[in-house]
Amino acid sequence: MSVVTVVRRAVLWVPDWPVVAAMTEAGLGADVPAAVLHGRGLVAVSAAARAAGVKRGSTRRLAQRACPELAILPHDEGRDSRLFESVAAAAEHAVSGVEISRPGLMIIPADGAARFHGSEEALAEALVTAVAEQAGVECAVGAADGLLAAVIAARSAELVPAGTSREYLAPAPIGALALAAMERVQREEVERLASVLTRLGIVTLGDLAALPFADILARFGPVGVWAHRLASGEDLAPPVLRRTEEDIAVEHVFEDPAERIEQLVHVAKEAAIALDRALLDAGMRCGRVRITARTEKGQDLERVWRTDVGTRAGAFARHMTDRVRWQLEGWLSGTAGSTTGDKGPEPSPLVSLGLVAEDVVPLGSEQAYLWGGVSGADSRAHRALERVQGLLGLEGVLAVAEQGGRSPRDRAHLAPWGQEAPPARAIAHPWPGRIPDPPPATVPPVARPALVLDAGGAPVAVSQRLAVSAPPTWVRLEADPSDERARAANRHPSSGHVGHVDGPVWDRPRPVESWAGPWPVSERWWSEDASRQAYLQVALRDGEGAVIAVLLAYGGGEWRLEAVYD
């Protein structure tokens, strides 16, 4: 395992920033209990709401039961980013070179800044004072070796002595890894890893750091390596202190000064795509992007955003489009001023926009990221999906994710491809009666009718007491409409098909090798749409001798094919 250079970092953290930004925009005082709702749960809760018993992650109903006067505010990542510009501008009065990792969190290389102020204690005091006086926001500052240790230290306003980050991190819970993931998709990946590690008995960062690096790599791949290095107090990709490659820049000059936010949406997208294309053409990727703009009055504005998103299938362009647009909106609307009314740079139309990719390294030379390498086929597939979505509309291309439920059909959550759509049902709920794992690989869009027969050819039924009338011996499925051979065979007199030609077309009977169940699922017994079904797992042998495992459901006196296992 190679040694990774560790850089001393200072982190400025604003607690509960999403709700602070939402309350600022809504004009609510700091003493008002408030929370930000995203999907079905609260993602941020104010101090007054916490004192009243409201917890992050609660549903709206539970939160309002604990605090009836709670103000529920909408989630808006753009608002969070625009208003955070006032905090970044205030911090720059104390130190230069701040990098926004996500709204509410900034990273500052601590060595030079601490020398300028005399000590890390003086640096932290200067930052807290500047943000409080000029942005009207309370913040906390921490410093440590390595990214994860610095982020955790900021949450308790600690200065971790040099060389002790590994020991400092050791007692922290394994779920703290998510604090170092700066993007939503990364956080979801890290949270899944933390869940697996917890079930394996690895509950602290010290437990993870003590495991052999080779075993982590073999078992968990790139995401495991990422977690192991951070848990060990190291940096995955420390700031580039010596330039080895030239920065890559793109510039857009407005034909007419942009003074409306609507003008910026297209420009932000085009600039981000141009920078992504320039990076790909040069075979490079970057660790941060400097956004610059010039106003009609000749004022130069700039802000640095750190990015952990590679050039994977256009993800970088989509990621930077939002950041650029939010930053331009912040400058154009004047939110660089403070939340207390102090003025920042005077709002003025923009005449040019520049994006500069910094911390540039050749593709393949950077440290491994969560998803490993990238293939050109992935990029081509994503571009094809984007074109199809443009022709058919947002709902024309759907992606499947898992959600809570009892049957395989209920557990599939369809959402427009590329869009964030929280599942309607939480996976973490108990879901008694759920079909046991492993889940089936194929779930048809519509359940296909089936016939389950005993040895004598009589239909098999399941009683109210879950008694199977006879052991299942044969199973016939309605043929797939695309299977012309099955349809032709069923039209032939020798097929044994009984019924009209226009009726259901049945596949040939398949002998049952083995079966398990039934599992009862009774849902919403109190309502008009109550459902009571029994599920059966059946292994069938086809005509070529292969075994096919299927999931059958019995309800209303009929059998249906619900899913097929690998």
Side-chain angles (χ1 to χ4, degrees):
M1 174 179 168
S2 60
V3 178
V4 180
T5 304
V6 179
V7 174
R8 188 75 176 170
R9 297 177 186 267
V11 168
L12 186 150
W13 174 62
V14 181
D16 310 317
W17 174 251
V19 74
V20 171
M23 292 173 68
T24 298
E25 186 175 67
L28 301 179
D31 58 340
V32 175
V36 172
L37 180 68
H38 185 37
R40 291 177 175 264
L42 304 181
V43 295
V45 177
S46 69
R50 273 196 302 273
V54 181
K55 297 181 180 179
R56 185 174 178 269
S58 299
T59 63
R60 177 197 290 263
R61 180 177 298 177
L62 291 176
Q64 291 180 330
R65 181 184 301 171
C67 181
E69 64 274 18
L70 180 70
I72 301 293
L73 303 170
H75 172 74
D76 185 348
E77 193 175 2
R79 171 200 62 209
D80 299 345
S81 298
R82 289 192 301 271
L83 295 183
F84 195 62
E85 172 62 21
S86 65
V87 180
E92 283 196 327
H93 283 79
V95 62
S96 61
V98 301
E99 298 176 7
I100 300 177
S101 291
R102 60 172 179 257
L105 187 73
M106 285 187 295
I107 297 177
I108 304 159
D111 289 334
R115 285 195 298 269
F116 176 81
H117 287 276
S119 66
E120 288 184 350
E121 290 81 359
L123 168 63
E125 182 179 354
L127 285 169
V128 171
T129 301
V131 171
E133 291 180 350
Q134 299 180 40
V137 173
E138 297 294 329
C139 69
V141 176
D145 299 337
L147 175 61
L148 180 58
V151 172
I152 294 178
R155 299 175 76 86
S156 54
E158 295 181 277
L159 303 176
V160 181
T164 63
S165 287
R166 179 166 181 151
E167 292 75 15
Y168 175 75
L169 290 171
I174 200 70
L177 285 167
L179 299 175
M182 301 304 172
E183 306 301 328
R184 175 182 57 82
V185 177
Q186 284 184 329
R187 285 196 295 275
E188 293 173 355
E189 184 82 2
V190 174
E191 287 168 356
R192 285 194 290 268
L193 173 66
S195 177
V196 172
L197 292 173
T198 301
R199 293 197 296 271
L200 293 174
I202 304 169
V203 296
T204 67
L205 296 179
D207 296 337
L208 177 60
L211 296 176
F213 176 83
D215 292 346
I216 291 292
L217 175 61
R219 174 62 179 83
F220 298 108
V223 64
V225 171
W226 180 91
H228 188 271
R229 284 176 171 161
L230 291 183
S232 302
E234 299 176 352
D235 271 324
L236 188 64
V240 177
L241 303 180
R242 179 176 61 86
R243 291 172 179 258
T244 57
E245 302 287 346
E246 292 294 326
D247 294 338
I248 295 177
V250 298
E251 186 177 13
H252 177 88
V253 178
F254 296 95
E255 293 183 3
D256 298 311
E259 54 185 349
R260 298 194 315 273
I261 291 177
E262 291 78 7
Q263 296 176 262
L264 304 178
V265 177
H266 178 72
V267 172
K269 181 178 180 180
E270 291 299 318
I273 291 175
L275 182 61
D276 189 22
R277 187 181 301 116
L279 286 167
L280 286 173
D281 291 344
M284 301 289 178
R285 61 147 287 123
C286 66
R288 59 183 185 175
V289 174
R290 184 177 301 275
I291 305 171
T292 63
R294 178 179 289 273
T295 71
E296 193 176 32
K297 297 181 178 180
Q299 191 172 28
D300 292 320
L301 307 172
E302 70 174 41
R303 179 67 61 227
V304 177
W305 283 79
R306 178 153 290 278
T307 173
D308 291 330
V309 177
T311 53
R312 170 179 55 88
F316 175 83
R318 291 193 297 272
H319 165 80
M320 285 310 304
T321 295
D322 290 337
R323 272 69 188 164
V324 174
R325 175 170 57 85
W326 296 334
Q327 189 63 59
L328 293 179
E329 289 175 358
W331 284 331
L332 199 60
S333 61
T335 54
S338 75
T339 59
T340 58
D342 295 336
K343 296 297 183 181
E346 183 179 353
S348 176
L350 305 179
V351 297
S352 68
L353 164 69
L355 300 183
V356 182
E358 300 180 342
D359 289 4
V360 174
V361 294
L363 281 171
S365 299
E366 76 275 15
Q367 298 285 350
Y369 281 74
L370 294 185
W371 300 271
V374 189
S375 73
D378 292 339
S379 300
R380 290 192 295 273
H382 279 253
R383 287 196 294 269
L385 289 174
E386 289 173 348
R387 287 195 296 269
V388 172
Q389 199 170 42
L391 293 172
L392 302 181
L394 197 63
E395 300 288 340
V397 181
L398 302 178
V400 182
E402 186 181 5
Q403 66 179 354
R406 295 178 175 85
S407 71
R409 194 175 304 281
D410 290 341
R411 293 169 65 182
H413 174 61
L414 295 177
W417 180 79
Q419 302 295 311
E420 180 181 359
R425 297 183 292 274
I427 300 175
H429 290 177
W431 301 109
R434 190 183 75 169
I435 303 302
D437 288 333
T442 303
V443 180
V446 179
R448 292 163 53 188
L451 295 175
V452 180
L453 310 174
D454 62 14
V460 175
V462 180
S463 70
Q464 292 290 329
R465 295 180 177 273
L466 297 178
V468 180
S469 62
T473 306
W474 300 92
V475 171
R476 294 192 71 179
L477 305 174
E478 181 181 313
D480 187 339
S482 63
D483 191 346
E484 291 297 331
R485 291 181 303 174
R487 299 183 68 88
N490 279 283
R491 292 191 184 97
H492 196 278
S494 63
S495 66
H497 174 67
V498 180
H500 300 289
V501 175
D502 294 335
V505 179
W506 297 98
D507 202 349
R508 61 186 181 277
R510 302 172 187 263
V512 174
E513 287 287 309
S514 60
W515 58 281
W519 289 277
V521 175
S522 180
E523 297 180 296
R524 299 179 297 276
W525 54 266
W526 61 88
S527 65
E528 295 181 356
D529 60 342
S531 171
R532 179 178 174 84
Q533 299 188 93
Y535 289 87
L536 205 67
Q537 289 176 333
V538 181
L540 307 174
R541 186 169 294 278
D542 64 12
E544 299 177 356
V547 175
I548 302 173
V550 299
L551 180 68
L552 302 176
Y554 181 83
E558 297 179 344
W559 289 95
R560 296 177 305 281
L561 173 68
E562 284 288 324
V564 180
Y565 293 89
D566 274 344

